[in-house]
């Protein structure tokens, strides 16, 4: 499942949307129309991408649970910690280029992923995307999702209220956005998207007490993605016209959380 950035080619860590590309919201529906898009766990065939000459990388990941914390959304430790899900123990760890770049680069070169994340090609494209977040202002945190000890997904968790996206929907202070990419074909098509999205939304609400809700903007054509967000307790809020796609604005509110 991919809840990809709205405009990944120009998004260093937060979505960069030019003012000349207005976003139109269509409100009033509580469930999305039948959509038609790449999936919440859309199939992808990973193709290996060699590392660039300027970056020394290794696909063998030493001590994945001992990654030093990076900057976080509201300060403090960027390691979101472990959470138990019906699919196993999930641990979100901040991305580390020397360890994670080859893997994420392969995921980005899968045709199903490339069609929406727009980061296919030399691994330097993925490296630039990740590096601009890792060395940026800390408002977007790229993470590797490790399920029962196996890296299997890529996440971006960001301050939606401080993102240009906030100009185009009724944002609230400390709104937090998420993007998700499930990397391996074996992990797709078996309901993991909704399970993991629910767990990560819970983590955000637990670890960020000032966050009133978690938001996402999957492509409207990605029916499985929208379905996964609905399964995770998000509601469909609006259709959003973005420069690179028409998106479904999905919202997971804190208030009715105990009922989910």
């Amino acid at each position: 499942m991919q809840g990809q950035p709205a405009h990944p080619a120009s998004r260093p860590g937060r979505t960069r949307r030019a003012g000349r590309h207005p976003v139109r919201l269509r409100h009033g529906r509580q469930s999305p129309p039948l959509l038609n898009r790449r999936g919440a766990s859309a199939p992808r065939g990973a193709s290996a991408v060699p590392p660039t000459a300027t970056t020394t990388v290794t696909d063998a990941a030493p001590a994945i649970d001992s990654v030093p914390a990076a900057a976080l959304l509201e300060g403090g430790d960027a390691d979101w910690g472990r959470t138990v899900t019906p699919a196993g123990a999930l641990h979100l760890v901040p991305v580390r280029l020397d360890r994670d770049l080859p893997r994420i680069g392969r995921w980005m070169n899968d045709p199903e992923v490339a069609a929406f994340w727009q980061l296919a090609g030399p691994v330097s494209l993925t490296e630039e995307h990740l590096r601009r977040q890792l060395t940026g202002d800390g408002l977007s945190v790229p993470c590797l999702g490790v399920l029962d000890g196996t890296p299997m997904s890529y996440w971006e968790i960001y301050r939606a209220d401080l993102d240009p996206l906030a100009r185009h929907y009724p944002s609230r202070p400390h709104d937090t956005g998420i993007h998700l990419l499930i990397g391996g074909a074996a992990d797709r098509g078996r309901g993991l998207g909704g399970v993991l999205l629910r767990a990560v939304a819970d983590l955000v609400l637990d670890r960020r007490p000032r966050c009133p809700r978690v938001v996402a903007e999957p492509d409207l054509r990605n029916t499985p993605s929208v379905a996964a967000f609905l399964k995770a307790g998000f509601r469909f809020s609006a259709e959003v016209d973005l420069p690179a796609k028409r998106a479904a604005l999905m919202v997971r509110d804190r208030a009715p959380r105990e009922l989910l």
Side-chain angles (χ1 to χ4, degrees):
M1 129 130 231
Q2 291 113 325
Q4 80 291 347
H7 199 178
S10 62
R11 184 183 187 277
R14 293 175 288 164
T15 44
R16 308 272 186 203
R17 299 184 181 86
R20 65 178 180 275
H21 294 293
V23 174
R24 299 185 293 279
L25 302 186
R26 299 177 183 177
H27 298 275
R29 288 185 288 173
Q30 295 305 308
S31 59
L34 283 181
L35 310 175
N36 191 3
R37 162 206 171 148
R38 82 131 160 121
S41 303
R44 313 149 206 169
S47 58
V49 181
T52 62
T54 58
T55 304
T56 302
V57 293
T58 173
D59 203 27
I64 198 163
D65 290 337
S66 62
V67 183
L72 189 59
L73 307 175
E74 298 177 32
D77 191 345
D79 189 330
W80 294 85
R82 293 177 179 81
T83 184
V84 177
T85 79
L90 177 68
H91 189 191
L92 288 187
V93 293
V95 163
R96 200 177 71 195
L97 283 176
D98 64 338
R99 182 197 62 210
D100 303 324
L101 180 58
R103 178 180 289 109
I104 298 173
R106 287 196 302 273
W107 292 344
M108 292 298 183
N109 272 271
D110 182 289
E112 291 290 338
V113 177
F116 299 97
W117 283 76
Q118 302 173 19
L119 290 172
V123 73
S124 57
L125 294 178
T126 299
E127 179 183 2
E128 180 183 7
H129 178 80
L130 297 173
R131 192 179 295 280
R132 291 169 75 183
Q133 294 183 78
L134 292 168
T135 61
D137 50 20
L139 296 177
S140 179
V141 179
C143 293
L144 203 65
V146 183
L147 188 63
D148 284 340
T150 299
M152 48 73 65
S153 55
Y154 170 70
W155 300 76
E156 292 174 352
I157 305 175
Y158 66 99
R159 280 286 296 272
D161 63 318
L162 301 180
D163 189 274
L165 174 65
R167 298 196 298 264
H168 309 300
Y169 82 101
S171 64
R172 299 175 187 172
H174 296 280
D175 274 358
T176 302
I178 57 176
H179 299 132
L180 165 62
L181 182 161
I182 293 180
D187 292 321
R188 305 177 203 129
R190 55 191 187 98
L192 276 179
V195 171
L196 299 183
L197 284 168
R198 180 182 294 272
V200 171
D202 283 341
L203 274 178
V204 170
L205 294 172
D206 286 340
R207 296 287 299 273
R208 301 288 154 249
R210 289 187 288 176
C211 171
R213 56 194 182 169
V214 182
V215 302
E217 46 175 299
D219 193 303
L220 268 176
R221 296 170 297 161
N222 190 346
T223 308
S225 180
V226 175
F229 279 103
L230 291 172
K231 179 181 177 182
F234 286 73
R235 59 182 172 83
F236 175 80
S237 176
E239 291 183 14
V240 185
D241 286 333
L242 302 174
K245 65 180 180 182
R246 175 170 288 182
L249 181 65
M250 309 299 296
V251 178
R252 168 81 182 272
D253 297 291
R254 176 183 291 275
R257 184 179 171 199
E258 64 279 0
L259 303 178
L260 297 175

